[in-house]
Amino acid sequence: MRRAIRYGDAWHPIRIRIDWLRDTGLPRLHQLAAAEGKPLPALCPRIRLRLTDTPLPEEQRVAGEGTLEQVHADCQALQGLGAQYVLLDTFYGDVDAIRQHEASWRMLTTLAEKVVDLQHEALR
């Protein structure tokens, strides 16, 4: 966080939970920026995109994981928290899976067709 405030234009939290970002991460970012006398960097989180057929428990999942509805809600929450951009990361720890990129393309395509209006750079 401090590096993003001191040297960067954006903060890129990785594998975050929405409640942590809202209740802990962003308040701390505001506090540090004020202490440094610097402007608040843009919020540009990197979320793990992993679509599932059944809902994941809210108290255990990170942003970007779960059903299409859960991921859509995450994107809406991030937008509401002021995220300017969101990086969708399809790597979830399985090195062999990256050799089979079709699943990643399917998830990205699904998001582009059902959640993100690419032409207008907005959520559906």
Side-chain angles (χ1 to χ4, degrees):
M1 271 191 225
R2 288 185 199 275
R3 281 182 295 184
I5 292 165
R6 288 181 185 167
Y7 308 112
D9 295 327
W11 178 43
H12 304 277
I14 299 172
R15 293 187 201 133
I16 45 116
R17 292 180 38 77
I18 296 294
D19 58 348
W20 176 87
L21 182 64
R22 180 190 63 235
D23 301 337
T24 303
L26 284 174
R28 180 74 175 143
L29 187 70
H30 283 268
Q31 178 186 35
L32 291 171
E36 293 281 334
K38 299 271 189 170
L40 198 64
L43 174 61
C44 300
R46 178 177 179 165
I47 64 172
R48 179 186 291 178
L49 179 60
R50 186 170 66 94
L51 296 177
T52 61
D53 293 330
T54 58
L56 297 178
E58 288 298 326
E59 65 279 356
Q60 295 174 357
R61 70 183 193 88
V62 296
E65 291 186 329
T67 62
L68 187 62
E69 292 77 20
Q70 286 177 305
V71 174
H72 190 216
D74 291 339
C75 291
Q76 289 175 322
L78 290 170
Q79 182 179 43
L81 291 171
Q84 291 184 4
Y85 297 96
V86 175
L87 174 70
L88 305 171
D89 186 354
T90 59
F91 179 70
Y92 53 91
D94 183 356
V95 176
D96 291 328
I98 62 174
R99 292 184 182 99
Q100 306 298 322
H101 59 275
E102 294 84 6
S104 294
W105 281 115
R106 275 194 305 277
M107 287 187 293
L108 291 166
T109 299
T110 298
L111 234 58
E113 291 173 347
K114 301 186 180 211
V115 174
V116 180
D117 180 347
L118 296 175
Q119 183 177 0
H120 296 103
E121 297 183 14
L123 293 176
R124 295 181 193 275

